[in-house]
Amino acid sequence: MSSTPSKIDYYYIRFWSTILLLIAIIPGIAVAQESFDITKNSTTVILSAPDTIKEFLAKYFKLPAEPFADSTAEKTFLYRAQKEIRSLLATEGYFSPVITLSHQTQGEVTKPEIRVDPGVVTRIGEVSIVFRGEIIQEDAKYRKRIEQLRAAWSLQAGSPFRSSEWEQAKATLLSDITQEDFAAANIVTSQATIDPDHARADLSIIIDSGPIFYLGAIQITGLERYNQALITNLAPFKTGDAYRRELLHLFQIALQKAPQFNTVSVNISPDTSQHKSIPVQVVLTEAQSQRFAFGGGYSSNNGARGEINYRNHNFLDRAWNLTSMLRLEQKRQTFFAGIDTLPDQNNINYSLITSLQMTDIQNLKTNEQKIGMTRNYQTPEIQMQFGMNWQRENKQPAGAINQINEALTLDWRWRRQIVDDPLNIRRGDVTEIRIGGGSQQLLSTQDFVRTYARHQSWWPVGSQDVIFLRAEIGYTLASSRFGIPQEYLFRAGGIQSIRGYDFKSIGVQEGNAIVGGRTMATGTIEYTRWITQQWGAAAFADIGSAADSWQKMHPFIGYGGGVRWRSPAGPIALDLARAHETGTLRFHFSMAVAF
């Protein structure tokens, strides 16, 4: 008979081993818990007060943990405690507290007790805000602004008076005045008159706006390799414009985005003697003009990725940007090179690009060469491009005829982005419109006009959550899709399209391949619940299709949920989506940012 233990014997031994281990551990846990409770409850001084007051004092007033050395030490502490507690309660608007000292016996131990009755909270009575300086001139603009400043004052009559809120309200008022026109505004006097008998606080402020400031010349510190025009052309103001803090902020953001600089600071010194033409001070450090970068990543659309970048931010010693990139992905390989000139005073610059790209997606292989030039206009909210591009595409669908497609196109693109935070959006809209086309009379193998529009909206829900909506539509006007490069046709599926379906798997069947059609429409609704500051969960539904005509459009639906993580580069999304048509489950991994 074999002596090998049976499976039942194994689980029997394991079960009783676990029980014995728990028996050994649980008393220790109980003793530790009891010890913790005793430590928690043991204190030298008893503090008695209403719950909210007791919680407040526990945060800012420290009770002694060890017994007093003698009666003198106890009396010294209690005397100091009364003064500190009165001061702390005054910051919360309690100016007439009753603090009594006694002793309480607990078992065989007698301890001193501090009993706190905070009394009635002091409330705000009259509020007087008096303005001086040029803001009181007879001008409808400034009269309205004074009304707005008074209306925005946060401490209204009848509300509780707290010192911290009083200081914050004054700081906010001063900040609101100095953000436009009056850079040297200051508070002349401020007083909170406390009437403890009636629990009332009357507030008075006198604020001097000073003169109106006008922006003068730009003074630059730290510029060595570049012409000053690189700085001045990015300024969103002209000499003589009235001072606005927002203009300096926008100027600093524009300079920080310029690859030629590492650090940038834009400011003024509000000297009233120079208010008619205050210098704008720009202090910066220059970045290295040339750099190599290596990177890698993964997207469920194109698989694993590795790339090499080379950038020269002072190309031909003209501060032009030369960018080149070699990116190798599982489904796509790209080489790109481009030159961008400097923006002029009208925010216009020019770009020259060239690229080579090979793709192998849904049994469709393409080999594309492109060269083009664009005229770019850009502000913090608007991007507009108008360009001419020529491309040649070798199209190889599996099981169908290979084709060579060429197109010389005029292409116009308009994009508007108004969001609260480009990386972690909670509120905003992004709209994009593109129109382009080519003609057989001008180096194109087919006549066509391609139109495309997309809109994305974010709405906050509560303090953390976000609802996201996306809609896009595209239509290429042409007699046939043949002869048109894939860039000017449409496929759907994958990230930023219809999740649950493979990347570009929805389109027109050509042989064994899926190729682009002349029509496309997709949409998304997504709800993200941020559980912590860094982590969230999302639920979504996508719908749409791509085909060769509107009549052949068949809606594809995908839905599911995912995880969101706020990384330094923006939210990273990992989604599990189900394709309604096939029941297939598919993971999608991407950066969930607006583009």
Side-chain angles (χ1 to χ4, degrees), residues 233-516:
N233 285 346
L234 293 173
F237 55 83
K238 302 184 296 295
T239 300
D241 286 352
Y243 162 80
R244 284 170 50 205
R245 187 189 302 150
E246 182 186 12
L247 291 176
L248 301 188
H249 181 61
L250 292 174
F251 190 22
Q252 179 164 313
I253 290 175
L255 292 173
Q256 287 171 337
K257 288 182 177 179
Q260 289 86 0
F261 309 118
N262 271 333
T263 62
V264 179
S265 173
V266 178
N267 217 326
I268 65 166
S269 297
D271 182 353
T272 54
S273 65
Q274 295 181 294
H275 73 94
K276 292 185 178 180
S277 183
I278 190 73
V280 177
Q281 299 161 355
V282 177
V283 180
L284 53 83
T285 58
E286 296 179 351
Q288 292 182 347
S289 59
Q290 301 184 63
R291 63 182 67 176
F292 280 96
F294 304 87
Y298 178 84
S299 166
S300 54
N301 277 357
N302 289 305
R305 177 182 74 248
E307 64 179 66
I308 302 173
N309 289 276
Y310 167 74
R311 297 184 178 183
N312 185 335
H313 305 307
N314 194 21
F315 185 61
L316 301 180
D317 291 327
R318 301 176 66 93
W320 290 357
N321 288 313
L322 169 64
T323 303
S324 61
M325 175 194 70
L326 175 62
R327 175 179 293 173
L328 303 178
E329 299 170 284
Q330 288 178 278
K331 298 180 181 180
R332 179 173 59 187
Q333 299 79 47
T334 306
F335 172 77
F336 168 88
I339 300 172
D340 298 310
T341 66
L342 287 177
D344 60 19
Q345 291 180 326
N346 297 314
N347 299 311
I348 294 173
N349 77 307
Y350 296 87
S351 300
L352 176 66
I353 62 168
T354 182
S355 67
L356 303 173
Q357 182 169 269
M358 296 183 294
T359 67
D360 187 354
I361 301 171
Q362 298 298 318
N363 292 323
L364 172 63
K365 293 182 179 180
T366 63
N367 191 326
E368 173 196 284
Q369 306 91 45
K370 180 195 291 188
I371 187 169
M373 176 175 284
T374 60
R375 177 185 184 271
N376 311 300
Y377 169 79
Q378 183 168 343
T379 68
E381 295 180 356
I382 301 295
Q383 297 177 23
M384 189 163 57
Q385 298 176 339
F386 182 74
M388 176 179 290
N389 300 280
W390 178 86
Q391 69 173 267
R392 180 181 185 275
E393 175 192 79
N394 184 357
K395 173 187 169 188
Q396 303 173 28
I401 300 173
N402 295 352
Q403 300 170 38
I404 301 295
N405 301 320
E406 295 182 348
L408 178 65
T409 61
L410 292 177
D411 201 0
W412 176 82
R413 179 189 180 196
W414 179 88
R415 189 174 190 269
R416 180 176 180 265
Q417 175 173 309
I418 302 178
V419 296
D420 55 354
D421 183 342
L423 292 182
N424 296 293
I425 304 173
R426 292 200 70 235
R427 182 189 298 275
D429 297 280
V430 177
T431 304
E432 179 180 343
I433 299 172
R434 296 188 68 172
I435 301 174
S439 170
Q440 288 181 308
Q441 306 300 318
L442 293 171
L443 303 178
S444 296
T445 52
Q446 175 69 284
D447 295 329
F448 67 94
V449 175
R450 180 189 188 269
T451 60
Y452 173 82
R454 175 171 58 178
H455 181 78
Q456 301 173 87
S457 286
W458 292 259
W459 287 306
V461 179
S463 61
Q464 293 288 333
D465 300 354
V466 180
I467 289 180
F468 168 65
L469 296 178
R470 178 191 62 84
E472 65 175 347
I473 187 170
Y475 176 63
T476 299
L477 176 64
S479 59
S480 169
R481 71 176 183 275
F482 294 102
I484 303 176
Q486 291 296 296
E487 181 180 340
Y488 299 99
L489 297 171
F490 304 99
R491 287 186 283 179
I495 302 164
Q496 289 289 320
S497 183
I498 310 171
R499 285 162 287 188
Y501 300 87
D502 205 1
F503 181 49
K504 292 188 177 181
S505 63
I506 301 171
V508 179
Q509 188 82 32
E510 190 173 306
N512 298 321
I514 300 297
V515 302

Side-chain angles (χ1 to χ4, degrees), residues 539-560:
F540 59 84
D542 301 330
I543 186 172
S545 185
D548 217 17
S549 66
W550 297 117
Q551 292 78 11
K552 296 179 180 179
M553 291 276 281
H554 168 69
F556 291 80
I557 300 173
Y559 47 84

Side-chain angles (χ1 to χ4, degrees), residues 3 22 26 60 123 134 146 191 237 240 257 275 364 370 380 408 520 539:
S3 63
L22 288 174
I26 287 173
Y60 299 104
R123 296 190 176 273
E134 290 194 24
I146 288 175
Q191 185 173 4
F237 55 83
K257 288 182 177 179
H275 73 94
L364 172 63
K370 180 195 291 188
L408 178 65
M520 180 274 298

